[in-house]
Amino acid sequence: QQQVKQSPQSLIVQKGGISIINCAYENTAFDYFPWYQQFPGKGPALLIAIRPDVSEKKEGRFTISFNKSAKQFSLHIMDSQPGDSATYFCAAGDTGNQFYFGTGTSLTVIP
Amino acid sequence: NAGVTQTPKFRVLKTGQSMTLLCAQDMNHEYMYWYRQDPGMGLRLIHYSVGEGTTAKGEVPDGYNVSRLKKQNFLLGLESAAPSQTSVYFCASSHGRQPQHFGDGTRLSIL
């Protein structure tokens, strides 16, 4: 059973556009929500993370929006660039040191 | 500064063979993790460690064993490899409880 559901599976965006990736969870014990970026042949890299007491966190062109009541969170990439083309994973962690990953979104930014 | 180094990068095994995957980190991190990544399933936690001499089971621990005899090293063992263990294995380390720095993976095929 997938603890974190991620959509869409793939996304194509024009350069300069906004990329939006969504994740949903059910377990209310989750208290930390990171996002990772992965390029082909490489391991994931921590991109940005949020705690449930904050509704939004922004770092550069990357923003996490968090809706605690709906148990949903999303990643917004503003002014998307071809260099952002990668696979993005959301994750959710509980106090027991276990982090559950979504199934990934393959983002392609077209020049 | 090498970060997280995984050895080997590729390996082909026959069913029933054993092997050990090595993960080394030079950042003095307490937390270390082993994940497997399969198409369409994201990353799933196999085992993790919160410090030297400690290990704990993750989401999919069956068929694997681990050891953390030295703080900088985290070993993943397959005692009797099965085709279902064909995957890409990632090691990660962190100061805190969310996996932060990943290696570039070990691609393991079991025939």
Side-chain angles (χ1 to χ4, degrees):
Chain A
Q1 182 183 357
Q2 197 69 31
Q3 296 267 2
V4 179
K5 296 182 179 179
Q6 183 172 347
S7 63
Q9 185 175 357
S10 62
L11 182 62
I12 299 174
V13 173
Q14 293 277 0
K15 178 182 176 182
I18 302 173
S19 304
I20 302 174
I21 304 170
N22 300 299
C23 286
Y25 65 98
E26 287 297 327
N27 189 346
T28 55
F30 290 149
D31 67 348
Y32 198 76
F33 302 88
W35 285 87
Y36 295 85
Q37 179 188 57
Q38 185 179 29
F39 292 105
K42 297 293 185 180
L46 180 63
L47 194 60
I48 187 173
I50 197 168
R51 295 191 182 279
D53 54 347
V54 177
S55 62
E56 185 175 284
K57 184 175 182 179
K58 183 177 181 179
E59 289 185 2
R61 295 184 294 109
F62 299 91
T63 299
I64 301 178
S65 297
F66 190 86
N67 186 330
K68 188 174 181 178
S69 61
K71 290 183 281 188
Q72 296 175 348
F73 57 110
S74 60
L75 176 70
H76 297 235
I77 306 174
M78 313 300 287
D79 187 26
S80 298
Q81 299 297 312
D84 297 331
S85 297
T87 299
Y88 292 81
F89 292 94
C90 62
D94 58 28
T95 55
N97 299 308
Q98 296 223 26
F99 278 79
Y100 299 91
F101 283 72
T103 51
T105 295
S106 176
L107 171 65
T108 302
V109 181
I110 300 172
Chain B
N1 190 350
V4 177
T5 303
Q6 292 184 232
T7 309
K9 297 188 186 309
F10 304 93
R11 186 73 183 268
V12 178
L13 288 179
K14 294 182 179 179
T15 297
Q17 288 185 318
S18 63
M19 78 162 296
T20 300
L21 281 65
L22 172 64
C23 176
Q25 53 96 1
D26 61 2
M27 297 169 283
N28 201 35
H29 285 163
E30 291 292 338
Y31 293 75
M32 295 188 76
Y33 311 82
W34 275 107
Y35 285 89
R36 60 177 290 173
Q37 184 175 31
D38 302 292
M41 300 191 74
L43 287 89
R44 292 180 292 169
L45 182 64
I46 303 171
H47 287 279
Y48 66 97
S49 168
V50 299
E52 181 179 319
T54 72
T55 63
K57 294 181 180 179
E59 189 180 358
V60 288
D62 294 342
Y64 306 94
N65 57 76
V66 288
S67 64
R68 183 105 181 262
L69 299 179
K70 293 182 178 181
K71 186 177 184 179
Q72 64 267 34
N73 296 336
F74 196 29
L75 279 63
L76 178 70
L78 285 73
E79 292 184 345
S80 180
S84 61
Q85 294 177 305
T86 292
S87 188
V88 182
Y89 291 85
F90 287 100
C91 176
S93 72
S94 64
H95 276 304
R97 61 184 179 91
Q98 87 275 8
Q100 187 173 8
H101 297 275
F102 282 78
D104 286 339
T106 294
R107 286 148 184 81
L108 181 62
S109 293
I110 300 165
L111 307 177

